[in-house]
């Protein structure tokens, strides 16, 4: 039976936009259905505003601490409203890339509305019943709100409201110390808010290598950010115009609360049952080809509940496009997925942690190069942190964790090496002096040093050789 479209994409964020644009450029007939604005979380309430706010706060911190470089300024005044204005300015500059006009120009039919499946092959939106050869669900995620007594009544912010603030909250309790809590906690603190980070776990950024997270935590404590770990918010009350947050039995009086306690997939209104698409509490179930339990319906991005990053949504989109338009042959490969948390110091990761690697292999070795021994890091006054490589005895790189200045940029050399299955020795190539990238080459060199230190026979042989040569 003839259908209306080759592809119907539901959700116009990081994943859906890539699928829609590329498919239309390949001459497929594509409809993109968006319930709000094109751009998704990343543009409006995620990556773009958070990184812009972080930049404003980084500058504030550097100016405040410029005396060690012999630079004195008048007392720094932070105009929070203008800092937030800068955030909105950046969004407005990037927004045309995701505008409906641009996508219509690619040949995508952009439909605004929130629809639902009515059977395994039909999606209804704005009263229209649309059919397609394939569908892609890319509806993203929203903040998960923990069931805390009084929280809804007292009121709170999430990433969806926090970038619209025009006045600085004098104090802020942040529930959750994952990437959102840590990035925004430090940014708000540096812009003048008293911040308390509350984590139910014993580690900030619990998905990261523990010793890398510890470097971030040390910096937070040094700056003055209050941290409460191993504790949950039990209750919230309104007292004298303030918000009283009970963390276990510790009372905390704050002006505002930011909830950053993980994500929930956006799938409730899609009527997935009618389409034969199953899901779990984290997201939609898919196979390695990103097909849902209805093979004509694909899904990508945060709605899968896996790696929730813009670049992963784009990568998944690149798998979905050929599978949905042509033949479902391509499979996802998550061996080399990098990500970074943009705290100061930054924390970047690719591949396995040491604990994960040791569970899987019995020939794991660790190479750790401190930034303190990298001259450029000293020159820049940022000697904290390290690069830690998890390798196997044959030099295969299983994972890398860089915490320090520009870590998110530095990790890409490792990503390239891992993607092409290059051994750690590949990173020993000549690196420009003095650069932060030397942290990678010096870490790689540690293996050569380690091997040489262990090889007493070679050392004795060399000693004998030089003794002999001197006597000639
Ligand atoms: C504060 C914050 C900072 C972040 N920082 C980073 C970062 O630095 N780097 C990084 O890689 N990732 C970051 N992320 C994660 C990143 O934003 C997400 O992984 C990414 O946006 C996921 O893309 P997506 O396409 O799955 O969802 P989204 O981009 O959110 O797009 C989903 C779209 O679907 C629409 N939609 C939802 N339901 C329906 C429906 N029923 N019908 C039609 N349309 C619907 C939504 O309106 C939205 O436009 C951050 C997230 C947050 C919250
Ligand atoms: N730089 C980046 O790439 C970046 C930045 C921000 C967000 N993100 C993405 O967005 C996702 C969501 O971020 P997130 O920080 O909300 O989630 P998260 O799931 O990574 O972290 C949430 C944290 O909150 C804690 N928590 C949960 N309930 C709690 C409670 N009641 N009390 C105290 N602590 C509680 C959890 O233990 C966890 O550590 C991330 O996993 C990431 O994929 C990426």
């Amino acid at each position: 039976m003839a259908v209306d479209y080759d592809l119907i994409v539901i959700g116009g964020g990081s994943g859906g936009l890539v699928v829609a644009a590329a498919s239309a450029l390949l001459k497929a007939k594509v409809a993109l259905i968006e319930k709000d604005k094109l751009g998704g979380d990343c543009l409006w309430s995620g990556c773009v505003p958070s990184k812009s706010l972080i930049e404003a706060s980084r500058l504030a911190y550097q100016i405040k601490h410029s005396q060690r470089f012999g630079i004195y300024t008048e007392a720094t005044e932070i105009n929070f409203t203008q800092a937030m204005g800068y955030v909105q300015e950046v969004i407005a500059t990037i927004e045309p890339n995701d505008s409906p006009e641009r996508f219509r120009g690619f040949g995508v039919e952009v439909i605004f509305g929130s629809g639902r499946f009515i059977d395994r092959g039909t999606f209804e939106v704005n009263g229209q019943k649309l059919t397609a050869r394939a569908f892609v669900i890319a509806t993203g995620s929203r903040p998960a709100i923990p069931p805390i007594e009084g929280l809804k009544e007292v009121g709170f912010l999430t990433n969806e409201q926090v970038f619209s603030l025009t006045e600085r909250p004098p104090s802020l309790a942040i529930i959750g110390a994952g990437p959102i809590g840590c990035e925004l906690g430090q940014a708000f603190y540096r812009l003048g808010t008293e911040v308390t980070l509350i984590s139910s776990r014993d580690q900030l950024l619990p998905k990261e290598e523990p010793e890398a997270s510890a470097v971030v935590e040390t910096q937070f404590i040094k700056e003055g950010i209050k941290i409460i770990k191993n504790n949950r918010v039990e209750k919230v009350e309104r007292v004298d115009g303030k918000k009283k947050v009970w963390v276990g039995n510790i009372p905390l009086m704050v002006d505002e609360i930011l909830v950053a306690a993980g994500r929930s997939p956006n799938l409730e209104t899609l009527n997935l049952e009618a389409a034969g698409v199953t899901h779990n509490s984290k997201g939609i179930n898919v196979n390695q080809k990103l097909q849902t339990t209805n093979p004509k319906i694909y899904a990508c991005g945060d709605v899968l509940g896996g790696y929730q990053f813009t670049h992963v949504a784009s990568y998944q989109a690149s798998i979905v496009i050929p599978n949905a338009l042509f033949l479902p042959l391509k499979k996802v490969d998550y061996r080399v997925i990098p990500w970074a948390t943009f705290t100061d110091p930054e924390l970047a990761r690719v591949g396995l942690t040491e604990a994960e690697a040791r569970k899987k292999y019995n020939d794991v070795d660790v190479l750790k190069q401190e930034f303190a021994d990298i001259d450029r890091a000293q020159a820049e006054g940022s000697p904290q942190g390290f690069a830690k490589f998890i390798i196997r005895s044959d030099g295969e790189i299983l994972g890398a964790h860089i915490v320090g200045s520009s870590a998110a940029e530095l990790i890409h050399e490792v990503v390239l090496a891992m993607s092409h299955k290059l051994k750690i020795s590949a990173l020993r190539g000549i690196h420009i002096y003095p650069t932060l990238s030397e942290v990678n080459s010096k870490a790689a060199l540690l293996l050569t040093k380690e091997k040489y230190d262990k090889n007493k026979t070679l050392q004795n042989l060399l000693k004998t050789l030089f003794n002999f040569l001197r006597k000639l």
Side-chain angles (χ1 to χ4, degrees), residues 10-16 33-37 39-42 45-47 50-51 113-114 138-140 159 180 263 266 269-270 300-303 308-311 313 342:
I10 307 153
S14 307
I33 299 165
E34 167 58 50
K35 77 169 166 62
D36 190 6
K37 291 181 281 192
D41 248 3
C42 183
S45 52
C47 332
S50 61
K51 267 75 259 180
S114 175
T139 47
N159 67 293
I180 299 181
R263 314 284 299 171
N266 290 328
T269 60
L270 297 170
C300 67
D302 278 16
V303 76
Q308 295 182 312
F309 301 101
T310 289
H311 48 281
F342 295 86

Side-chain angles (χ1 to χ4, degrees), residues 284-295 297-301 304 307 312 315-324 327-335 337 360:
I284 292 181
N285 300 319
V286 287
N287 63 18
Q288 284 180 299
K289 296 170 179 177
L290 299 180
Q291 286 169 308
T292 66
T293 42
N294 175 341
I297 303 180
Y298 292 78
C300 67
L304 301 182
Y307 299 99
V312 176
Y315 165 66
Q316 291 167 338
S318 75
I319 302 292
V320 164
I321 296 161
N323 285 354
L327 281 175
L329 299 175
K330 273 189 108 176
K331 289 183 180 177
V332 283
D333 176 2
Y334 294 130
R335 186 179 65 89
I337 299 286
K360 233 174 144 182

Side-chain angles (χ1 to χ4, degrees), residues 50-51 146 148 174-183 198-201 203 205-207 231-233 259-263 302 306-309 311 339-342:
S50 61
K51 267 75 259 180
I148 297 169
I174 303 184
I175 303 177
I180 299 181
C182 287
E183 287 184 356
I198 303 156
S199 173
S200 55
R201 307 278 293 273
Q203 179 185 326
L205 301 169
K207 291 173 190 158
N231 231 324
R232 282 181 175 273
V233 176
V259 175
R263 314 284 299 171
D302 278 16
Y307 299 99
Q308 295 182 312
F309 301 101
H311 48 281
W339 67 84
T341 304
F342 295 86

